[in-house]
């Protein structure tokens, strides 16, 4: 496969079974989101059999400054950081650094005596000892019982917010301190008994730091970013590249039009105190394409192997007990992926039954998204990857992901 270093279309779509005229529907459809003010701008990339068949940008990365989206625009990828951290963890698993059944307390002692919510209120919770330790596979599969403060679905979410963990982390705490703080808060449920979107990947990042004896930034650089040549992926954007960073927006509650959200967006211009393996990276479409192509190719890109193919295949299976999907096993609601017919592996959502979710996809597809309405998927049946990048918070605002799937799949003609 040619090196994926840029975003130029590298093949005649017809040569890899894609109809170019049908691909053009993607741009027409999402241009409407920009034209009526729902999105500031976006970037989309589709590749099949390792060849880029569609690459387009539309709108502005900064509406107020009238700066257009460009091929090298930098985007906050938020939870699309999670698969990168998970791949780094899997590479350590391959080396025998831990086992999936290892208790997290082996690496973070504060997780030795976790307790589970049993009733009461956020101000006066009743808890009981967990019947099962939080294990490494629980972190990778989001079945640890941890949560996010911004979920707003349970009294434990309120407890997180009361401790400073809302959209972001308590002021001044580094990753080690955050992990210890989370260990002291009630779990939503006994580990392994439900699924809940959570800070689990942040805790995983702290485990990687302990194992490696170095910061998460070095761990991810050494194990994923540098080997894959993801030179534009970083934890914050400093002055020389600041104008490449897209501004962050949110929908106006009355009009639905995108309104600038600098109160949150400006954080990406400063070095973070806490390195968030669950949501801290900024990246480009070209860089993330390299990451997804590595996944599509079974752990290797341009002669560099990040994971063994069987490790990645194992991680891409549904690890929810009994083969359940997120409708049956999930706790609360989130918007990074559909629920029906979708399970969860070790770092990715996994499509089990495409018909259950009523969204065009293939069995075995791995996927995830980010809080600012970004998304990617890797489809092993169609040998396809797709990436959509924009900056609208929250990701539940518009059905971008399901619409994109339909628009991409309807263009496949072989």
């Amino acid at each position: 496969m040619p090196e994926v270093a840029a975003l130029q279309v590298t093949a005649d779509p017809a040569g890899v079974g894609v109809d170019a005229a049908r691909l053009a529907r993607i741009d027409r459809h999402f241009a409407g989101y920009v034209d009526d003010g729902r999105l500031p701008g976006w970037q989309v990339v589709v590749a099949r059999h390792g060849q880029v068949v569609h690459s387009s940008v539309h709108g502005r990365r900064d509406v107020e400054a009238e700066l257009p989206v460009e091929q090298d625009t930098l985007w906050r990828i938020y939870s699309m950081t999670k698969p990168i951290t998970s791949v780094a963890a899997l590479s350590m698993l391959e080396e025998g650094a831990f086992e999936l059944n290892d208790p997290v307390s082996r690496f973070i002692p504060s997780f030795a005596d976790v307790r589970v919510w049993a009733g009461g209120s956020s101000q006066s919770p009743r808890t009981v000892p967990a019947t099962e330790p939080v294990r490494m596979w629980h972190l990778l599969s989001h079945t640890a019982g941890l949560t996010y403060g911004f979920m707003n679905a349970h009294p434990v979410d309120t407890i997180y917010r009361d401790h400073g963990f809302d959209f972001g982390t308590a002021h001044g705490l580094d990753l080690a301190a955050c992990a210890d703080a989370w260990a002291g808060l009630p779990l939503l449920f006994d580990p392994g008994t439900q699924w809940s979107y959570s800070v689990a990947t942040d805790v995983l990042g702290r485990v990687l730091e302990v194992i490696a004896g170095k910061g998460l930034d070095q761990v991810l650089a050494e194990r994923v970013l540098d080997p894959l040549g993801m030179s534009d992926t970083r934890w914050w954007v400093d002055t020389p590249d600041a104008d490449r960073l897209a501004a962050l927006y949110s929908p106006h509650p009355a009009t639905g039009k995108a309104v600038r959200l600098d109160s949150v967006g400006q954080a990406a211009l400063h070095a973070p105190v806490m390195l968030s393996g669950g949501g801290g990276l900024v990246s480009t479409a070209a860089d993330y394409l390299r990451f997804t192509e590595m996944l599509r190719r079974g752990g290797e890109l341009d002669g560099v192997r990040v994971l063994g193919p069987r490790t990645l295949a194992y991680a891409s299976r549904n690890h929810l007990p009994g083969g359940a999907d997120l409708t049956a096993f999930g706790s609360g609601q989130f918007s990074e992926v559909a629920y029906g017919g979708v399970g969860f592996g070790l770092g990715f959502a996994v499509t089990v039954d495409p018909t259950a979710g009523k969204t065009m996809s293939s069995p075995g597809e791995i996927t995830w998204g980010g809080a600012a309405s970004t998304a990617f998927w890797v489809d092993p049946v169609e040998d396809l990857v797709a990436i959509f990048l924009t900056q609208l918070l929250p990701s539940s605002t518009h059905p971008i992901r399901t619409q994109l799937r339909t628009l991409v799949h309807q263009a496949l003609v072989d």
Side-chain angles (χ1 to χ4, degrees):
M1 186 197 78
E3 179 177 310
V4 180
L7 295 173
Q8 290 83 12
V9 171
T10 57
D12 176 4
V16 290
V18 186
D19 186 314
R22 285 176 165 265
L23 279 174
R25 294 174 176 176
I26 297 172
D27 294 357
R28 288 198 299 271
H29 178 77
F30 288 111
Y33 275 88
V34 175
D35 296 344
D36 66 14
R38 286 175 291 166
L39 289 179
W42 48 258
Q43 184 170 15
V44 63
V45 183
V46 180
R48 197 177 198 204
H49 307 321
Q51 302 287 343
V52 176
V53 295
H54 189 77
S55 176
S56 59
V57 298
H58 190 80
R60 294 170 176 169
R61 68 182 188 272
D62 187 319
V63 174
E64 292 72 19
E66 298 185 351
L67 297 174
V69 176
E70 297 179 317
Q71 294 286 359
D72 67 347
T73 292
L74 290 161
W75 309 89
R76 298 162 194 79
I77 61 170
Y78 288 123
S79 285
M80 281 167 57
T81 306
K82 287 179 171 69
I84 296 174
T85 302
S86 299
V87 164
L90 293 169
S91 75
M92 287 187 173
L93 174 69
E94 290 185 322
E95 296 172 359
F98 66 89
E99 293 189 63
L100 291 174
N101 274 322
D102 280 345
V104 173
S105 59
R106 174 186 167 192
F107 309 101
I108 308 176
S110 57
F111 272 83
D113 299 306
V114 293
R115 298 182 67 84
V116 179
W117 168 268
S121 68
S122 61
Q123 297 301 313
S124 186
R126 181 167 57 87
T127 64
V128 296
T131 60
E132 166 81 358
V134 178
R135 302 184 187 276
M136 292 297 290
W137 79 268
H138 295 143
L139 297 182
L140 282 156
S141 62
H142 287 277
T143 57
L146 298 162
T147 187
Y148 272 123
F150 63 77
M151 295 293 283
N152 294 309
H154 192 280
V156 173
D157 304 340
T158 305
I159 294 172
Y160 271 60
R161 294 194 300 277
D162 289 345
H163 282 77
F165 300 108
D166 193 347
F167 190 80
T169 57
H171 180 70
L173 297 186
D174 64 9
L175 181 54
C178 285
D180 287 339
W182 293 322
L185 303 181
L187 300 179
L188 286 176
F189 45 78
D190 277 306
T193 63
Q194 293 184 58
W195 186 97
S196 180
Y197 194 38
S198 72
V199 297
T201 314
D202 289 306
V203 176
L204 179 66
R206 176 56 188 160
V207 171
L208 302 190
E209 289 190 332
V210 172
I211 292 173
K214 60 187 69 173
L216 184 61
D217 52 348
Q218 292 178 268
V219 174
L220 297 193
E222 293 172 2
R223 292 183 172 270
V224 182
L225 305 181
D226 290 350
L228 293 179
M230 296 172 65
S231 57
D232 254 339
T233 302
R234 62 197 70 184
W235 297 93
W236 79 96
V237 181
D238 50 16
T239 302
D241 289 327
D243 68 342
R244 292 173 54 199
L245 178 67
L248 184 65
Y249 295 82
S250 64
H252 188 281
T255 67
K257 294 184 182 298
V259 177
R260 197 180 183 102
L261 190 63
D262 280 344
S263 60
V264 177
Q266 291 294 309
L269 295 172
H270 308 283
V273 175
M274 197 276 275
L275 295 173
S276 172
L281 290 177
V282 174
S283 190
T284 61
D287 268 18
Y288 215 85
L289 181 61
R290 294 189 65 79
F291 180 71
T292 56
E293 276 295 308
M294 177 274 295
L295 297 176
R296 183 190 68 84
R297 291 168 57 87
E300 175 272 335
L301 182 68
D302 294 341
V304 176
R305 182 160 293 284
V306 175
L307 288 178
R310 287 163 182 79
T311 303
L312 187 53
Y314 182 75
S316 300
R317 296 172 186 162
N318 182 18
H319 283 253
L320 299 184
D325 68 5
L326 295 176
T327 300
F329 207 71
S331 172
Q333 298 291 315
F334 71 110
S335 56
E336 307 309 346
V337 73
Y339 260 57
V342 177
F344 208 87
L346 301 179
F348 321 91
V350 181
T351 299
V352 178
D353 178 6
T355 64
K358 299 299 178 281
T359 300
M360 289 192 187
S361 58
S362 299
E365 175 191 284
I366 57 176
T367 182
W368 205 240
S373 304
T374 62
F376 84 93
W377 76 83
V378 179
D379 184 330
V381 175
E382 301 294 352
D383 201 28
L384 176 83
V385 304
I387 300 167
F388 187 92
L389 299 171
T390 188
Q391 298 284 257
L392 188 79
L393 185 75
S395 59
S396 57
T397 306
H398 303 300
I400 291 170
R401 292 157 182 168
T402 52
Q403 292 174 354
L404 182 64
R405 275 182 171 77
T406 297
L407 288 162
V408 170
H409 277 263
Q410 61 84 34
L412 305 181
V413 293
D414 73 349

